[in-house]
Amino acid sequence: IDKAKETESHHYVGVGKVIYALGSLTLADLHGMVPYDEAFNADIMNPKYDDGSLVYEKSLALLDEAILDLQKAQGPAAISLTLGDNLFQGDVSKWIKFAYGIKARHLNHLSKTTDYNADAVLDALSKAAQTNAESAIYAYEDELTSGNVATRSLQYQNNSATRTTKLYVDYLTNNYT
């Protein structure tokens, strides 16, 4: 994000913020409290853990910033998003829809809380991807048929280092006591 700001590559700034917000929101969903405010400060070896509600608040605001950055005109020295975008091949409108989809999903995670706003969820959802062609689908590439060993789709890898436990299921089903 910082490097993209130097060249006024606003689209990269926006994409970076979308990815950062998605990661933070996912961590907050999984762990509740996670480092956020002090997370990437090199001077702090043990960052404080922030409450999930703060992470949600700041990450949802970051998504709004990302959408604004993605709508900005690129600066004269900007690097084209098409050069580094493997997900949407530089299509900024799809990144904006992706950001709104993340926002809708995570606003909906606030159901059963006083912060839930169904209208905000529906508004974000109306601006999100509406078709498969607009969705964030990364096509699987089989290295055996393509010969490309470097390209593997994350969605088809065995990334699970943990097993689903009763505690985790209780969290998900709201049965934790």
Side-chain angles (χ1 to χ4, degrees):
I1 292 172
D2 292 339
K3 190 70 173 169
K5 285 179 181 177
E6 290 175 14
T7 59
E8 295 182 273
S9 299
H10 302 297
H11 296 162
Y12 275 105
V13 172
V15 168
K17 288 179 180 179
V18 169
I19 293 169
Y20 188 86
L22 175 59
S24 299
L25 289 164
T26 302
L27 283 173
D29 283 343
L30 290 172
H31 301 290
M33 294 182 69
V34 295
Y36 188 87
D37 283 338
E38 298 177 354
F40 294 102
N41 185 336
D43 297 328
I44 301 173
M45 292 301 292
N46 295 309
K48 73 175 175 68
Y49 279 65
D50 296 301
D51 189 65
S53 60
L54 175 83
V55 176
Y56 255 71
E57 178 185 327
K58 290 190 174 190
S59 296
L60 290 170
L62 191 62
L63 283 172
D64 290 334
E65 288 178 28
I67 292 165
L68 292 175
D69 287 324
L70 287 163
Q71 293 171 340
K72 287 181 182 177
Q74 295 283 74
I79 300 165
S80 173
L81 188 58
T82 57
L83 296 176
D85 181 8
N86 292 327
L87 187 59
F88 294 121
Q89 292 73 45
D91 190 335
V92 176
S93 66
K94 288 182 181 178
W95 275 105
I96 292 170
K97 290 174 189 256
F98 184 54
Y100 276 115
I102 294 167
K103 186 174 180 179
R105 174 187 293 169
H106 287 86
L107 284 171
N108 201 46
H109 286 181
L110 299 174
S111 65
K112 299 183 184 178
T113 71
T114 57
D115 294 329
Y116 185 67
N117 181 342
D119 291 334
V121 174
L122 293 173
D123 179 58
L125 194 58
S126 71
K127 298 171 185 171
Q130 304 294 314
T131 66
N132 284 342
E134 298 172 331
S135 294
I137 298 171
Y138 188 80
Y140 174 71
E141 185 175 336
D142 188 348
E143 67 186 66
L144 296 176
T145 57
S146 71
N148 187 356
V149 178
T151 304
R152 291 188 177 95
S153 177
L154 183 64
Q155 68 201 28
Y156 292 102
Q157 290 183 11
N158 180 8
N159 293 320
S160 177
T162 60
R163 301 229 184 256
T164 304
T165 63
K166 181 180 182 319
L167 177 64
Y168 183 69
V169 172
D170 285 347
Y171 283 149
L172 290 175
T173 58
N174 205 23
N175 290 318
Y176 176 72
T177 56

